[in-house]
Amino acid sequence: MEEIKIYRSLQKNVLQLLLCAACAGIGVYLLIIGVDALLAWGNIVLFGGGGLYLIYLLVRERLGDHPYLVISDDGVAVDGQRVWAVRFADVEAFTLVGVSKSVLIAVEYKPDVRVKKLEATHAIGKAFRRMNEELIGAQESFPVDNLEMKPQAILDLLNKRLESVQRQSI
């Protein structure tokens, strides 16, 4: 099967970028008219910084060919705040979960892999993994609500590849 690359949604990111620019512009306006300087600078730094980060992500992703998700025959690579990979051989199932307003794909590892991952991390990492297991039923997850492909379609694709790997290993 071919490698599938999934990028962040350009339309949604441009909309977020415009919102950041508008809020940063409000901060500049507040600074000019002499209202609370702390509020004005807070707007400028927070929303201006957020807008610059979005520009960085878009340029890096589109021009540098760094997709958010790369689904291959043996696993999925996630290029979010950190780059990490999930091998299909280590996974029991992928499920779609909602946390607040975010849509995530939870990675449910096989029991032996789950234990190894928990033991291989530090105390804070263990606490986060346990918290994730309580909240969503899995140690790891990745957001899929701001991508070019719908969350359910990504989930179906991942589970289809997972089934293929599981059939080959039998």
Side-chain angles (χ1 to χ4, degrees), residues 1 4 6 71 88 149 152-162:
M1 287 185 233
I4 298 171
I6 302 171
I71 303 171
F88 289 133
M149 194 180 231
Q152 187 63 49
I154 296 170
L155 178 68
D156 293 342
L157 186 61
L158 287 170
N159 281 325
K160 182 179 174 185
R161 295 270 174 118
L162 178 61

Side-chain angles (χ1 to χ4, degrees), residues 115-127:
V115 170
K116 286 179 189 174
K117 284 192 169 281
L118 195 60
E119 290 173 351
T121 189
H122 50 79
I124 295 172
K126 286 179 184 177

Side-chain angles (χ1 to χ4, degrees), residues 1 4 6 71-73 75-76 86 88-89 91-97 104-109 142 149 151-167:
M1 287 185 233
I4 298 171
I6 302 171
I71 303 171
S72 63
D73 290 339
V76 57
V86 177
F88 289 133
V91 175
E92 213 169 68
F94 292 101
T95 56
L96 206 57
V97 294
L104 310 167
I105 290 184
V107 182
E108 296 177 23
Y109 288 107
F142 51 91
M149 194 180 231
Q152 187 63 49
I154 296 170
L155 178 68
D156 293 342
L157 186 61
L158 287 170
N159 281 325
K160 182 179 174 185
R161 295 270 174 118
L162 178 61
E163 286 174 18
S164 173
V165 168
Q166 287 172 341
R167 274 196 308 264

Side-chain angles (χ1 to χ4, degrees), residues 20-136:
C20 283
C23 290
I26 290 171
V28 170
Y29 175 74
L30 291 174
L31 197 60
I32 290 171
I33 64 171
V35 180
D36 187 11
L38 183 63
L39 176 67
W41 280 110
N43 263 9
I44 294 168
V45 170
L46 182 68
F47 292 107
L52 290 175
Y53 181 68
L54 279 171
I55 290 170
Y56 163 75
L57 284 178
L58 287 172
V59 169
R60 178 180 176 268
E61 194 173 87
R62 300 298 170 151
L63 299 180
D65 195 33
H66 289 95
Y68 177 71
L69 289 177
V70 178
I71 303 171
S72 63
D73 290 339
D74 60 338
V76 57
V78 182
D79 189 359
Q81 293 177 336
R82 64 184 172 94
V83 179
W84 57 287
V86 177
R87 292 184 34 208
F88 289 133
D90 296 339
V91 175
E92 213 169 68
F94 292 101
T95 56
L96 206 57
V97 294
V99 176
S100 186
K101 292 184 179 180
S102 291
V103 180
L104 310 167
I105 290 184
V107 182
E108 296 177 23
Y109 288 107
K110 293 178 179 175
D112 58 326
V113 176
R114 193 177 310 145
V115 170
K116 286 179 189 174
K117 284 192 169 281
L118 195 60
E119 290 173 351
T121 189
H122 50 79
I124 295 172
K126 286 179 184 177
F128 275 116
R129 286 182 181 275
R130 286 188 181 115
M131 180 185 70
N132 281 343
E133 281 189 343
E134 287 179 25
L135 287 174
I136 62 173

